[in-house]
Amino acid sequence: MFSKRFAVQLQSCVRQFCTTKCLTANAQAFEYPSVSSKLVKELQGIVGQSNVSTAEAVREQHGHDESYHKSSPPELVVFAENVEHVSHVAKLCNNNNIPLIPFGTGTGLEGGINAIKGGVCLDLNKMNNILAVNQEDFDCTVEAGVSRQTLNSYLRDTGLVFPIDPGADASLCGMCATSASGTNAVRYGTMRENVLNLEVVLPDGRVFDTAGKGRRTKKTSAGYNLTNLFVGSEGTLGIITKATLRLYGIPECTASAVCSFPSVKNAVDTTVNILQCGIQMARIEFLDEVAIDAFNKYSKYDMKVAPSLFMEFTGNEGTLAKQVDLVSEIVNMNEGSDFKWAEEAEEKNRLWKARHDIVYACMALQPGSKPYSTDVCVPISRLPDVIVRSKELIDAAGIIGFTLGHVGDGNFHNLFLINDDMPDQKAKAIKLSKQIAKIAQELDGTCTGEHGIGLGKKELLLREIGEEGLEIMKQVKSTFDPNNIMNPGKVFV
Ligand SMILES: Cc1cc2c(cc1C)N(C[C@H](O)[C@H](O)[C@H](O)COP(=O)(O)OP(=O)(O)OC[C@H]1O[C@@H](n3cnc4c(N)ncnc43)[C@H](O)[C@@H]1O)c1[nH]c(=O)[nH]c(=O)c1N2
Ligand SMILES: CC(C)CC(=O)C(=O)O
Ligand SMILES: [Mn+2]
């Protein structure tokens, strides 16, 4: 009798050789069998003819995210309307060894949805119900296609908010899948700290709730943490069809301010001093001088073109004033400027929207470019070292690179603009990014604080977690996805 492992290996060997006629005219031979017209009919039988598309434009739209990675359209796109659809589609793909890629809103930055092995893209946007908001318990449950801004608009009159805020209006389950973060993580953490339960569909069609059906406690020690196993899994273990998330009351008062510094080091040292003083800030974001220049041009501001901190204070009248005094002292100690305040709701929203739009602001300086960004995160005491060294490397390389991001978490981005018709710039950006990620890893940090591994950081993951760690990840993967149909080619080398 074959061992299970041997059977899986045998299956993958078989896979190498059995490719049937492809549906798409320009399909290349994949390691996987291609989607046959018989399978298309079975998929149409599950979700209805109108929810299966082989149209070129639809496949192209589902073949890339917001990253610089080359588009790889799937062989076809299936639109699921409910968890039963997801379960039956997964089971059918699994029984036929067809790759299956969950699609949220395609705002990922690591090529996570690119169908590099062909197969089926499963678009979850039609599953867009907000199933429950439990105001008295500060939690809600949403289906896979609900975006963070849709949820917050729905919550507008409740005094509650879901605070995790990547710069894009991403799907909340996509945010679970990439363990997303944003400017509010200093105060509220990332997705890892804000997911109470997930409904997940496994490749074999099983549907289960990671914390148990209906559970929505702020903490639990009941068994393994299956919820956080799927947070950050990037579509490689299963499809997240529902998320139960923490909500928060909107703070009594918040005030935002920008201050500039004579150098990057002064700005980042200020961040470290603030955090080491235990001051509970809502947000601390860094933009270097080139990012500020792009910020001003795109969002019509006139901030001083210098390394700057964007901060948000929060609390009640008394505590907020005390925070401001303390921070002002630290800013002065580091030769920072006076604060440029945004106190009215409209001013604050405009300021933070402009920060969220910084990618587009930078891209506007080089039309037709795509963003390539590092995403390193280090222990807060190591932050000045890695930021200063990364900027020195960028200056020495002689290409434009913007340095910005969530310094309050020890997480920042070097953002490069990549054009396929500027191959030397692209090569330099990719080389620099790997160098900076390795510096972060040497400083006890990680190559990705929030965007995930996707297609481009697989070697860095191996370097970070080691052979043993990666092998254990693969063993976990083969438990949930023994046929390796879930988003193949991502995360693992
Ligand atoms: C301008 C701008 C600014 C930012 C960002 C993007 C852009 C364009 N992002 C990145 C992006 O918004 C973030 O990675 C989101 O979590 C992606 O969510 P999508 O729904 O778009 O996932 P998308 O559809 O792009 O898929 C991403 C990955 O998750 C998987 N996936 C999606 N839905 C799934 C589901 N239901 N079940 C299982 N797997 C699923 C996919 O297979 C893929 O591997 C970001 N990020 C961040 O953390 N902080 C930030 O500050 C920013 N800022
Ligand atoms: C492309 C990245 C710089 C987007 C992001 O993560 C951010 O703006 O914080
Ligand atoms: Mn970011």
Side-chain angles (χ1 to χ4, degrees):
M1 182 61 182
F2 289 157
S3 74
K4 192 149 182 288
R5 191 179 169 81
F6 176 71
V8 172
Q9 280 164 343
L10 181 68
Q11 206 166 41
S12 73
C13 297
V14 168
R15 210 181 278 154
Q16 307 291 331
F17 301 102
C18 71
T19 44
T20 53
K21 191 175 70 56
C22 304
L23 257 180
T24 48
N26 60 352
Q28 73 241 31
F30 299 110
E31 291 156 46
Y32 294 80
S34 291
V35 181
S36 65
S37 23
K38 171 175 174 292
L39 193 65
V40 172
K41 284 196 177 40
E42 288 178 284
L43 288 166
Q44 288 169 337
I46 294 169
V47 298
Q49 202 150 357
S50 61
N51 279 328
V52 176
S53 176
T54 55
E56 182 92 24
V58 176
R59 291 187 302 109
E60 180 50 43
Q61 186 216 350
H62 287 79
H64 64 89
D65 57 9
E66 293 283 290
S67 71
Y68 77 100
H69 293 287
K70 194 172 81 53
S71 177
S72 303
E75 293 171 74
L76 79 160
V77 178
V78 172
F79 296 87
E81 292 178 351
N82 52 55
V83 65
E84 290 73 27
H85 280 176
V86 175
S87 171
H88 293 134
V89 167
K91 198 169 178 180
L92 186 62
C93 290
N94 193 42
N95 292 343
N96 291 277
N97 290 318
I98 297 290
L100 185 62
I101 303 153
F103 182 94
T105 41
T107 71
L109 290 163
E110 295 300 338
I113 51 107
N114 297 33
I116 58 167
K117 304 283 185 185
V120 172
C121 176
L122 184 61
D123 185 312
L124 299 152
N125 280 283
K126 289 188 173 182
M127 296 172 67
N128 55 9
N129 297 305
I130 296 172
L131 300 169
V133 172
N134 301 301
Q135 292 190 40
E136 67 288 359
D137 296 324
F138 296 89
D139 69 57
C140 68
T141 298
V142 297
E143 286 190 319
V146 177
S147 77
R148 68 176 183 86
Q149 286 176 358
T150 303
L151 174 61
N152 281 326
S153 307
Y154 184 86
L155 293 171
R156 201 181 303 283
D157 303 335
T158 65
L160 298 177
V161 68
F162 180 73
I164 312 307
D165 62 328
D169 184 19
S171 76
L172 290 157
C173 287
M175 287 168 59
C176 292
T178 60
S179 187
S181 171
T183 65
N184 280 311
V186 190
R187 178 175 171 72
Y188 298 103
T190 71
M191 288 307 279
R192 287 193 177 197
E193 291 79 35
N194 286 285
V195 180
L196 304 178
N197 203 346
L198 294 172
E199 178 186 76
V200 171
V201 177
L202 295 179
D204 62 11
R206 281 181 293 168
V207 183
F208 82 109
D209 295 87
T210 56
K213 191 109 186 111
R215 307 279 162 241
R216 50 190 182 87
T217 49
K218 295 297 172 279
K219 64 185 193 180
T220 172
S221 59
Y224 292 177
N225 188 345
L226 294 179
T227 301
N228 266 1
L229 180 60
F230 283 86
V231 174
S233 57
E234 299 188 55
T236 62
L237 296 180
I239 305 105
I240 301 167
T241 46
K242 271 186 207 151
T244 300
L245 304 168
R246 298 185 66 160
L247 299 175
Y248 295 83
I250 294 175
E252 190 186 324
C253 44
T254 59
S256 305
V258 179
C259 56
S260 61
F261 293 83
S263 79
V264 171
K265 188 161 184 337
N266 291 57
V268 185
D269 284 347
T270 304
T271 306
V272 176
N273 298 155
I274 290 170
L275 295 169
Q276 286 177 340
C277 287
I279 301 168
Q280 178 54 61
M281 298 292 291
R283 314 196 223 207
I284 313 183
E285 293 286 309
F286 171 75
L287 272 72
D288 73 352
E289 60 287 0
V290 273
I292 288 286
D293 184 42
F295 176 92
N296 284 338
K297 286 176 179 144
Y298 188 80
S299 296
K300 311 284 179 276
Y301 274 97
D302 61 353
M303 303 289 179
K304 185 167 180 234
V305 181
S308 302
L309 289 180
F310 286 49
M311 294 184 278
E312 185 159 85
F313 303 88
T314 183
N316 55 44
E317 293 295 333
T319 54
L320 197 139
K322 199 157 170 12
Q323 271 181 21
V324 172
D325 290 346
L326 277 172
V327 169
S328 302
E329 262 177 59
I330 295 171
V331 167
N332 292 334
M333 196 175 75
N334 288 289
E335 302 167 70
S337 72
D338 292 343
F339 289 173
K340 223 177 150 104
W341 286 99
E343 291 176 280
E344 298 307 318
E346 205 181 305
E347 289 177 293
K348 284 183 288 190
N349 293 338
R350 180 175 168 239
L351 182 76
W352 292 108
K353 177 170 181 338
R355 160 58 189 95
H356 278 137
D357 287 347
I358 193 65
V359 190
Y360 302 119
C362 297
M363 289 161 68
L365 298 180
Q366 195 173 297
S369 55
K370 291 291 274 180
Y372 183 95
S373 83
T374 64
D375 172 32
V376 300
C377 189
V378 295
I380 202 71
S381 62
R382 308 297 176 83
L383 193 62
D385 186 359
V386 65
I387 287 195
V388 171
R389 283 167 68 183
S390 68
K391 267 193 72 80
E392 284 164 357
L393 284 171
I394 294 168
D395 294 345
I399 65 167
I400 299 177
F402 307 86
T403 302
L404 56 102
H406 326 290
V407 287
D409 312 320
N411 176 210
F412 72 97
H413 310 295
N414 302 112
L415 175 61
F416 303 105
L417 302 177
I418 290 225
N419 276 28
D420 286 339
D421 52 12
M422 298 165 92
D424 61 319
Q425 181 167 313
K426 181 172 179 177
K428 280 182 183 175
I430 292 176
K431 183 170 173 252
L432 276 168
S433 304
K434 293 209 181 332
Q435 280 176 297
I436 292 162
K438 288 176 181 170
I439 291 172
Q441 289 175 331
E442 274 137 32
L443 293 171
D444 305 341
T446 175
C447 66
T448 174
E450 56 178 21
H451 296 165
I453 297 290
L455 274 176
K457 296 186 178 140
K458 294 186 276 192
E459 289 75 17
L460 286 167
L461 175 64
L462 171 59
R463 191 172 187 277
E464 188 158 317
I465 195 157
E467 298 281 350
E468 201 61 55
L470 199 70
E471 184 50 34
I472 290 164
M473 279 194 179
K474 287 181 176 175
Q475 287 169 350
V476 169
K477 160 95 173 160
S478 65
T479 301
F480 289 101
D481 178 24
N483 294 341
N484 194 17
I485 65 154
M486 288 310 304
N487 212 358
K490 313 295 166 54
V491 180
F492 301 104
V493 282

